[in-house]
Amino acid sequence: ANEQVSPDGRGWRSGALVEKKEIPQWFFKITAYAQELLDELDNLKDWPDSVKTMQRHWIGRSEGLEIDFALVYSTVAEKLTVYTTRPDTLCGVTFISVAAEHPLAKAAAESNPSLAVALSDLTKGGTAEAEIEKAEKRGVALGISAIHPITGAQVPIWAANFVLMGYGTGAVMAVPGHDQRDWEMASKYGLPITQVIAPADSAAADISAGAFTDYGVCINSGKYDGLAFQAAFDAMAGDLAAVGKATRKVNFRLRDWGVSRQRYWGCPIPMLYRADGSSVPVPLEQLPVVLPENVAFSGVTSPIKSDPNFINYTDPQTGEKLTRETDTFDTFVESSWYYARYCSPGANTMLDARANHWLPIDLYIGGIEHAVMHLLYFRFWHKIMRDVGLVSSNEPATKLLCQGMVVADTYFRQETSDGPKSYFAPTEVQVERDSKGRALSATLLKDGLAVTIGPVEKMSKSKGNGVDPQSMIDKYGADTVRLFSMFAAPPDQSLEWSETGVEGMHRFVKRIWRMVHEHLNANAGAVSEIFDASAASAEQKELRTQLHEAIAKVGRDVGERLNFNTAIAAIMELTNAISKFNDESANARALRQECWQAITLMLAPIAPHLCHRLWQLLGQETLILDQHFPTADAGALLRDDVTLAVQVNGKLRGQITLAKSSANAEIEAAARLAVAKYLEGMAVKKVIVVAGRLVSIVVA
């Protein structure tokens, strides 16, 4: 895959030189759904904008012209067709670039061995867009020319390493004055660079230092001079179409989905080959084709490629001898529809009526690294199932949460500065940490010698920095591991694994356990009395307000925002407030009982084992699993006073607590007093009071 090709053109894991080869492949025609996949992104209101942006870019809809350049003295074809979204730059074409695999290039190389070698060299390396942009632009002249459709001038045709045969027509018009890749190519080989677009604001554009790629107005373009982009587009499109040299076309960057994999494991592609090489599908009644398990592995190729029992097929109707396809499907094929099959367990068909009952998915959780792979494929597959009547909805999921990666420290040794790195698992090293848990140094346990502490990276087998959750569970318990995983980061951000963080969460679990037992021991068991709000002291009212503010916040964070880390933080703050509550009256004991019952209910989804037991100890006979989430008491949320943040020149510098009825003058005076040290020697220009929220002081 492109992602596995290093910048030097070698496989990132093996170091083998990557070669491009033409092999027969099976594709799903996802391009037939390109416009619908693009349009319906607007209906996915609860999908992250970042995912939708990536899919829009990947689908890459563009409107442009297909322009024909007549070929000079060519026996291969009469014309060369290029696609461009910038016809306003057409008069700046000084050469044409084609892919090294283009028929013109192959024809030119048939009688030119040195050209054939040069073309072969151009095919090496990856085909990822980001890699092509960074790579050195290289090319070779084919000795063929084309006729410019407007000026009539002859322009040379080159093969270039940044033009891909699989994209568009495999040929692009080169405008080095206004395309950076073309500029780099032209500068390298001394090809002409002509400016035909000027900035719209009449400023100068220096194309000697790089291409001017912005939109502007046409210059050096004959009758099109002075036209802005759209006017030039329309004028050139009309003129060239009138003489049969161009057509308007909508193009997509999206390519058809290649699903063939030359490996054993996977779902066999259900196709058959006749003796003449033509293909036919396996009859429906014989699906699915089952992967044979009694095979011999050679270590060289897929075992089914040499398994006659699998390969040979006889048509039961006609007796015709055929052979099976031995490629298997990309695993993305299976993961593109498994969610729908989950809705039809045990069905004898692919899906049944239950799929429409449950779909579309209310909340789908998946990694953002799959934004233009799995998350695009499963949208496409859902539409296929819709079109054959298996489902009725247009999209597979209404809401998407992209969870972050789990990352951790890496440890390695490297014999030479440019040599390979040998990575070690966290269990193989002894790490010295500072008081905040940060790694200072590390040594390998088996020899006591130093190892390098590498960057924090995504947990992976190749980096050896994975942590077995079971080892953490054995040491700290499942509830602690769950709490840390939920608390360490919001679900859509990377979670940096830290055993010191796990230890901290374990202390919190033990603190909850200890405080509940202290409450129970002080009262000889659970308190049965109900808190009497009408007889509450100011301190009791404050704690109960904090309790119900926490209930409201946790409910929002878990049920609406999916921010479990802030929900846990709110429970921690409430626990701290309980620890500072020293009232030992009967009403106070009832309030503590209410607090601990609510905390147990709020923590139960994350720490079920701890909370199941605490719920019993707190005198409850029902299962905690059968309880509703606590509801905030609106009356308890009403405060007599309010806390306001105080900012100085936009920076938080303090806070004040006053009665809700305080006048602005009283609020301003209190705010000035709270941040007096930040106002020394400064002139106060303005004080803004935002009711119920903050006081902003502007100084000079």
Side-chain angles (χ1 to χ4, degrees):
N2 290 332
E3 296 81 10
Q4 297 169 328
V5 181
S6 298
D8 61 358
R10 295 181 178 273
W12 73 278
R13 190 186 291 272
S14 67
L17 189 65
V18 174
E19 298 178 58
K20 296 177 191 171
K21 293 183 178 180
E22 286 190 1
I23 57 175
Q25 297 271 71
W26 290 101
F27 294 82
F28 285 156
K29 200 168 181 61
I30 192 173
T31 51
Y33 288 78
Q35 189 64 55
E36 185 181 356
L37 286 167
L38 181 65
D39 291 343
E40 290 193 356
L41 287 171
D42 293 333
N43 299 329
L44 298 175
K45 305 299 183 185
D46 291 322
W47 278 45
D49 289 337
S50 56
V51 172
K52 293 190 286 187
T53 296
M54 283 188 277
Q55 289 203 5
R56 287 191 182 97
H57 176 70
W58 193 259
I59 295 168
R61 186 184 191 278
S62 62
E63 297 183 12
L65 292 184
E66 276 194 347
I67 302 174
D68 294 332
F69 285 72
L71 295 174
V72 180
Y73 308 123
S74 171
T75 59
V76 178
E78 295 181 354
K79 63 184 180 181
L80 181 62
T81 301
V82 302
Y83 173 79
T84 180
T85 59
R86 292 293 303 270
D88 57 324
T89 67
L90 180 57
C91 291
V93 172
T94 58
F95 63 100
I96 294 176
S97 298
V98 300
E101 304 92 339
H102 195 281
L104 277 181
K106 289 183 175 180
E110 286 179 356
S111 58
N112 188 336
S114 61
L115 177 59
V117 172
L119 291 175
S120 177
D121 183 59
L122 290 179
T123 64
K124 292 181 171 61
T127 58
E129 185 174 324
E131 183 179 338
I132 290 173
E133 289 296 330
K134 296 176 183 177
E136 178 189 9
K137 308 305 180 287
R138 296 180 293 113
V140 60
L142 300 182
I144 305 172
S145 296
I147 304 297
H148 195 289
I150 290 180
T151 67
Q154 290 192 17
V155 293
I157 300 175
W158 285 60
N161 67 335
F162 56 86
V163 182
L164 303 177
M165 194 62 217
Y167 287 79
T169 63
V172 297
M173 64 183 210
V175 188
H178 306 287
D179 182 281
Q180 187 58 29
R181 293 190 302 188
D182 297 337
W183 185 92
E184 292 174 23
M185 176 94 161
S187 299
K188 182 179 178 69
Y189 295 104
L191 297 168
I193 301 176
T194 303
Q195 182 180 357
V196 293
I197 301 294
D201 59 3
S202 301
D206 182 12
I207 63 171
S208 65
F212 174 67
T213 58
D214 292 343
Y215 291 100
V217 295
C218 292
I219 60 172
N220 302 323
S221 299
K223 72 174 188 176
Y224 305 107
D225 282 357
L227 295 181
F229 167 73
Q230 193 59 53
F233 187 121
D234 294 338
M236 290 185 182
D239 291 348
L240 292 173
V243 293
K245 293 182 179 180
T247 55
R248 288 180 181 264
K249 186 174 181 182
V250 172
N251 220 343
F252 293 94
R253 184 176 174 273
L254 179 69
R255 301 294 94 193
D256 281 327
W257 175 13
V259 294
S260 294
R261 296 296 180 266
Q262 294 73 46
R263 61 189 177 205
Y264 164 68
W265 56 275
C267 176
I269 296 177
M271 298 298 293
L272 300 165
Y273 293 100
R274 291 195 168 105
D276 62 2
S278 61
S279 60
V280 292
V282 172
L284 276 175
E285 64 272 12
Q286 296 179 28
L287 295 178
V289 177
V290 179
L291 189 72
E293 297 183 19
N294 186 23
V295 294
F297 290 93
S298 66
V300 177
T301 186
S302 168
I304 59 176
K305 293 185 182 296
S306 57
D307 181 358
N309 294 325
F310 178 77
I311 294 175
N312 297 325
Y313 175 88
T314 301
D315 189 317
Q317 302 293 329
T318 65
E320 181 183 6
K321 304 293 184 182
L322 300 95
T323 57
R324 290 190 187 277
E325 171 62 74
T326 57
D327 281 0
T328 54
F329 276 127
D330 172 14
T331 50
F332 275 120
V333 172
E334 283 73 44
S335 64
S336 292
W337 71 280
Y338 72 101
Y339 65 93
R341 177 63 186 184
Y342 283 157
C343 298
S344 302
N348 293 323
T349 55
M350 184 173 176
L351 301 178
D352 61 23
R354 290 173 292 176
N356 277 328
H357 172 78
W358 292 109
L359 296 174
I361 300 163
D362 298 298
L363 172 62
Y364 190 79
I365 302 174
I368 198 168
E369 73 275 13
H370 291 307
V372 294
M373 296 174 73
H374 167 67
L375 292 174
L376 183 62
Y377 296 153
F378 103 126
R379 292 185 60 220
F380 160 63
W381 196 277
H382 194 86
K383 297 178 189 306
I384 293 176
M385 294 193 296
R386 176 203 62 194
D387 290 349
V388 297
L390 291 172
V391 298
S392 57
S393 49
N394 292 328
E395 291 286 340
T398 56
K399 186 172 184 177
L400 172 67
L401 170 65
C402 288
Q403 86 280 8
M405 298 292 184
V406 181
V407 299
D409 288 327
T410 54
Y411 308 97
F412 66 88
R413 281 181 182 163
Q414 191 174 21
E415 298 298 330
T416 60
S417 60
D418 58 350
K421 295 177 180 177
S422 298
Y423 285 91
F424 304 102
T427 55
E428 297 178 281
V429 298
Q430 177 68 45
V431 183
E432 182 183 348
R433 301 182 182 275
D434 63 16
S435 59
K436 295 184 178 180
R438 293 173 295 201
L440 299 175
S441 62
T443 55
L444 191 63
L445 288 173
K446 69 178 180 180
D447 61 17
L449 300 178
V451 296
T452 301
I453 301 174
V456 173
E457 296 193 43
K458 181 180 79 169
M459 285 187 179
S460 66
K461 288 183 289 185
S462 62
K463 296 294 189 298
N465 63 336
V467 174
D468 182 3
Q470 189 61 51
S471 66
M472 294 290 103
I473 292 171
D474 292 342
K475 190 173 182 179
Y476 299 106
D479 286 345
T480 292
V481 176
R482 288 164 63 96
L483 274 163
F484 172 75
S485 300
M486 305 291 260
F487 178 69
D492 59 344
Q493 295 181 20
S494 292
L495 184 163
E496 184 172 347
W497 189 265
S498 163
E499 187 162 350
T500 56
V502 179
E503 290 171 352
M505 191 55 67
H506 192 52
R507 289 192 294 272
F508 173 63
V509 169
K510 290 190 292 185
R511 186 186 189 201
I512 292 277
W513 180 265
R514 185 184 68 252
M515 290 179 69
V516 170
H517 277 77
E518 288 173 352
H519 163 69
L520 296 171
N521 293 338
N523 299 286
V527 176
S528 58
E529 290 83 6
I530 303 299
F531 175 73
D532 183 359
S534 63
S537 66
E539 187 181 13
Q540 291 169 5
K541 287 182 179 179
E542 174 61 24
L543 178 59
R544 193 161 189 272
T545 296
Q546 289 176 290
L547 165 62
H548 287 273
E549 285 177 342
I551 291 173
K553 177 172 176 52
V554 173
R556 286 193 304 272
D557 288 353
V558 172
E560 300 172 17
R561 302 172 60 220
L562 300 175
N563 277 8
F564 310 109
N565 60 315
T566 54
I568 296 171
I571 295 172
M572 289 178 168
E573 290 178 12
L574 177 59
T575 304
N576 287 335
I578 296 172
S579 70
K580 298 173 184 176
F581 183 64
N582 297 316
D583 191 339
E584 298 299 333
S585 66
N587 211 28
R589 292 196 298 271
L591 177 56
R592 283 196 187 88
Q593 178 78 16
E594 182 182 350
C595 287
W596 288 123
Q597 287 181 189
I599 287 175
T600 303
L601 287 170
M602 290 188 287
L603 274 180
I606 306 173
H609 308 88
L610 168 73
C611 295
H612 170 79
R613 182 58 181 148
L614 292 182
W615 187 249
Q616 293 176 326
L617 294 173
L618 287 166
Q620 306 301 315
E621 296 180 357
T622 57
L623 285 174
I624 195 169
L625 289 172
D626 295 331
Q627 303 308 302
H628 290 289
F629 198 83
T631 302
D633 181 348
L637 295 175
L638 298 175
R639 285 181 173 274
D640 295 327
D641 53 28
V642 64
T643 299
L644 307 178
V646 182
Q647 295 179 345
V648 178
N649 285 354
K651 292 185 178 180
L652 180 64
R653 296 302 191 187
Q655 63 181 30
I656 54 175
T657 301
L658 305 97
K660 277 187 174 181
S661 58
S662 299
N664 277 8
E666 185 180 355
I667 295 172
E668 180 179 334
R672 285 174 178 260
L673 183 61
V675 296
K677 67 178 182 179
Y678 298 102
L679 304 180
E680 291 179 2
M682 310 294 289
V684 176
K685 295 288 189 180
K686 186 188 302 183
V687 178
I688 303 169
V689 177
V690 180
R693 290 181 56 199
L694 62 86
V695 181
S696 178
I697 301 175
V698 181
V699 299

